[in-house]
C-alpha cells in the first residue's frame, strides 16, 4: 500500500481544498435515509452528536478516518479525489451545511450578528465553487448523473431568495427520483430542514444548538476533525475499501464484489436492480445451515467456474461479470437472475 499523505483536518479545511471530492463508481449508493431518518438512524444520531458537541465546552470533535485517492480526472481544472471511505459522512455534512445556509438566509437577517455576516460566504464556499460551465460547481458529488442532479437542485434551493418555505420547497415537486440514492438525498435534505424548523416549546427558538444555529455552524466547521488518508493508486484504494468494510456486519463479500461491478454499470436503473437482487441473494444465503455457503462469494465463484470453465479470484469475478454487464463478454442461454432484472 502506498500512502501519499496523512493529515488531521477540520471540516472546513477538508471541504475547501483545491479539489473535487467524488464518490467513485464502485461505491455509489448513498444509504443514509431509506425512510427511517426519524427512527434514531445515522442521520438523527449525527445531528444529536453535533448538538452535544456544540453545547459542550470541547473545542474539537473527532469524526473518524476519511480515505481518499488521487485520480487522473479533473473538474473545472480542479483535481478529482475519490472518496474511498467516508462517503456517508461527507455527503451528509454537505447537505447539512446547505440546509443551515438556507435556514439562516431565509430567516430575519437580524438572526446573525453583523460580526458574523461572512458566515453566508463561508458556508457557500464550503459546498461549492465558481464554475466556468454555468451553475456553481459542487465540492462533493457522485459519479452518477442522477444523484448530482439532486445535489445541484438542493444547492439551487439553498441559494433561492424565496422566503415562504412552502413555496420554496415546491422546487422539489417534480424532481426525478429514479434511484434509492436520489430518494435518500432528498429525504435527508428534508429531515435537516424540518429539524431546523423544530422549535423548543419554552424558548420558541430552534430546539437544536441552544437555538443559536449561526454560532453552532461556526464551531462545527472549525471543530469537527478528521484524519485524512491519501492513497496513491485507485486499485489499491478499492482493495483497502473492501478490506475495511468487510470487517462490518452489514457489508459482506458479495457486496464488495457488487461494489466493484458498479464501475461497469452506467445507468441508474441497472444499478438499483443489481443492488436489490444482490441484497436479496445475500440475505437468503445468510440463513443457510452450512457455514461455507453463508458466504455469497462461494456461490458466485462456483457459478463463474461453471460458466467460464475456470476458477476465479474475487477481483477476477468483478472483472469477468463486469465485462458481461458491459456487453464485452457473452454467455449463451444462461440465466443469471442475480444479475438480470
Amino acid at each position: 500500500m502506498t500512502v501519499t499523505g496523512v493529515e488531521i483536518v477540520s471540516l472546513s479545511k477538508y471541504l475547501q481544498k483545491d479539489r473535487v471530492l467524488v464518490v467513485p463508481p464502485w461505491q455509489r449508493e448513498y444509504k443514509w435515509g431509506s425512510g427511517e431518518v426519524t427512527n434514531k438512524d445515522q442521520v438523527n444520531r449525527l445531528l444529536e452528536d453535533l448538538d452535544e458537541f456544540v453545547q459542550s465546552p470541547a473545542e474539537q470533535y473527532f469524526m473518524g478516518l476519511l480515505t481518499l485517492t488521487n485520480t487522473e480526472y479533473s473538474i473545472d481544472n480542479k483535481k478529482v479525489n475519490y472518496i474511498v471511505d467516508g462517503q456517508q459522512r461527507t455527503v451528509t455534512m454537505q447537505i447539512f451545511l446547505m440546509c443551515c445556509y438556507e435556514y439562516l438566509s431565509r430567516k430575519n437577517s437580524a438572526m446573525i450578528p453583523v460580526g458574523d455576516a461572512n458566515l453566508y460566504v463561508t458556508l457557500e464556499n464550503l459546498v461549492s465553487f465558481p464554475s466556468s460551465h454555468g451553475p456553481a460547481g459542487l465540492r462533493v458529488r457522485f459519479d452518477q448523473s442522477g444523484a448530482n442532479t439532486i445535489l445541484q437542485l438542493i444547492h439551487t434551493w439553498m441559494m433561492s431568495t424565496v422566503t415562504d418555505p412552502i413555496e420554496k420547497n415546491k422546487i422539489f415537486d417534480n424532481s426525478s427520483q429514479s434511484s434509492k440514492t436520489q430518494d435518500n438525498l432528498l429525504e435527508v435534505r428534508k429531515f435537516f430542514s424540518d429539524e431546523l424548523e423544530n422549535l423548543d416549546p419554552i424558548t420558541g427558538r430552534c430546539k437544536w444548538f441552544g437555538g443559536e444555529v449561526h454560532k453552532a455552524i461556526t464551531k462545527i466547521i472549525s471543530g469537527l476533525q478528521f484524519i485524512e488518508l491519501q492513497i496513491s493508486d485507485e486499485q489499491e484504494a478499492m482493495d483497502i475499501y473492501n478490506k475495511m468494510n468487510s470487517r462490518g456486519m452489514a457489508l459482506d463479500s458479495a457486496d464488495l464484489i457488487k461494489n466493484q461491478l458498479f464501475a461497469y454499470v452506467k445507468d441508474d436503473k441497472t444499478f438499483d436492480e443489481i443492488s436489490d437482487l444482490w441484497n436479496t441473494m445475500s440475505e437468503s444465503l445468510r440463513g443457510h445451515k452450512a457455514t461455507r455457503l453463508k458466504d455469497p462469494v462461494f456461490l458466485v465463484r462456483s457459478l463463474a467456474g461453471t460458466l467460464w470453465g475456470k476458477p476465479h479470484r474475487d477481483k477476477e469475478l468483478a472483472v469477468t461479470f463486469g465485462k458481461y454487464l458491459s456487453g464485452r463478454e457473452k454467455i449463451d442461454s444462461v440465466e443469471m437472475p442475480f444479475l438480470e432484472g
Side-chain angles (χ1 to χ4, degrees):
M1 180 180 74
T2 306
V3 178
T4 59
V6 181
E7 184 181 7
I8 298 177
V9 295
S10 65
L11 177 63
S12 178
K13 185 174 182 179
Y14 172 58
L15 293 177
Q16 290 194 90
K17 288 187 178 182
D18 189 28
R19 65 189 179 193
V20 179
L21 298 167
V22 176
V23 178
W26 30 272
Q27 58 136 335
R28 293 185 299 178
E29 289 178 305
Y30 176 69
K31 297 181 178 180
W32 284 15
S34 304
E36 300 174 355
V37 291
T38 57
N39 296 327
K40 297 291 183 182
D41 77 334
Q42 298 98 324
V43 183
N44 196 61
R45 287 199 299 271
L46 173 64
L47 189 56
E48 290 175 343
D49 288 346
L50 293 177
D51 182 69
E52 182 178 352
F53 166 58
V54 166
Q55 300 198 62
S56 75
E59 295 183 357
Q60 295 182 335
Y61 182 77
F62 180 60
M63 286 281 287
L65 176 69
L66 300 167
T67 307
L68 309 176
T69 185
N70 290 318
T71 73
E72 60 186 13
Y73 312 114
S74 64
I75 297 175
D76 277 327
N77 296 319
K78 294 182 180 293
K79 66 180 181 180
V80 168
N81 275 189
Y82 275 163
I83 307 173
V84 180
D85 189 57
Q87 174 203 161
Q88 310 297 329
R89 284 167 293 162
T90 301
V91 174
T92 304
M93 286 307 301
Q94 184 194 40
I95 296 174
F96 172 73
L97 293 176
M98 287 196 282
C99 289
C100 288
Y101 179 102
E102 188 280 333
Y103 170 80
L104 292 172
S105 63
R106 181 167 42 81
K107 296 294 183 179
N108 189 315
S109 59
M111 286 185 63
I112 300 184
V114 175
D116 291 340
N118 289 331
L119 183 57
Y120 290 118
V121 176
T122 299
L123 283 172
E124 187 176 353
N125 288 337
L126 284 170
V127 300
S128 63
F129 57 87
S131 172
S132 59
H133 305 292
L138 296 176
R139 292 190 179 274
V140 179
R141 63 185 72 189
F142 289 78
D143 189 272
Q144 185 182 7
S145 60
N148 287 333
T149 298
I150 296 299
L151 287 178
Q152 195 68 62
L153 190 64
I154 296 174
H155 184 267
T156 301
W157 165 82
M158 158 190 156
M159 297 298 295
S160 171
T161 57
V162 176
T163 56
D164 185 333
I166 296 178
E167 287 298 316
K168 195 171 189 178
N169 288 339
K170 287 182 179 179
I171 192 174
F172 300 108
D173 287 350
N174 298 317
S175 57
S176 174
Q177 300 178 41
S178 58
S179 73
K180 289 182 178 178
T181 290
Q182 290 171 293
D183 290 340
N184 292 340
L185 291 171
L186 288 169
E187 186 175 286
V188 170
R189 191 286 313 173
K190 184 178 186 303
F191 172 75
F192 282 136
S193 182
D194 288 349
E195 287 300 308
L196 289 170
E197 294 287 352
N198 198 345
L199 303 181
D200 184 291
I202 298 177
T203 65
R205 304 162 70 190
C206 176
K207 78 168 189 175
W208 298 99
F209 314 124
E212 297 184 316
V213 178
H214 60 290
K215 291 183 179 180
I217 296 304
T218 300
K219 184 172 182 178
I220 287 170
I221 61 179
S222 62
L224 259 60
Q225 303 290 310
F226 304 87
I227 295 178
E228 181 182 310
L229 178 68
Q230 280 277 354
I231 306 299
S232 62
D233 179 75
E234 183 180 338
Q235 183 58 56
E236 281 189 346
M238 188 186 298
D239 294 341
I240 292 168
Y241 170 78
N242 291 350
K243 289 175 183 177
M244 288 190 300
N245 285 283
S246 64
R247 307 303 195 262
M249 294 298 293
L251 197 63
D252 57 33
S253 299
D255 292 307
L256 301 179
I257 294 174
K258 177 194 69 177
N259 286 345
Q260 295 191 56
L261 282 169
F262 285 166
Y264 298 91
V265 180
K266 300 304 180 184
D267 64 280
D268 295 345
K269 184 175 184 294
T270 304
F271 177 90
D272 277 344
E273 287 177 353
I274 292 176
S275 180
D276 289 341
L277 291 167
W278 274 58
N279 288 340
T280 300
M281 177 188 71
S282 300
E283 187 64 31
S284 177
L285 289 176
R286 286 191 190 103
H288 202 284
K289 292 182 180 180
T291 302
R292 188 180 186 187
L293 295 179
K294 290 180 182 290
D295 186 350
V297 167
F298 178 78
L299 172 64
V300 178
R301 190 182 295 121
S302 300
L303 178 60
T306 300
L307 296 176
W308 287 286
K310 66 175 184 178
H312 283 68
R313 296 180 178 178
D314 289 359
K315 290 182 184 178
E316 295 172 325
L317 287 172
V319 171
T320 302
F321 282 118
K323 288 179 179 178
Y324 168 77
L325 286 171
S326 64
R328 290 179 289 159
E329 185 87 30
K330 300 296 183 182
I331 305 174
D332 296 329
S333 303
V334 175
E335 293 185 1
M336 290 189 292
F338 62 93
L339 288 175
E340 300 174 347

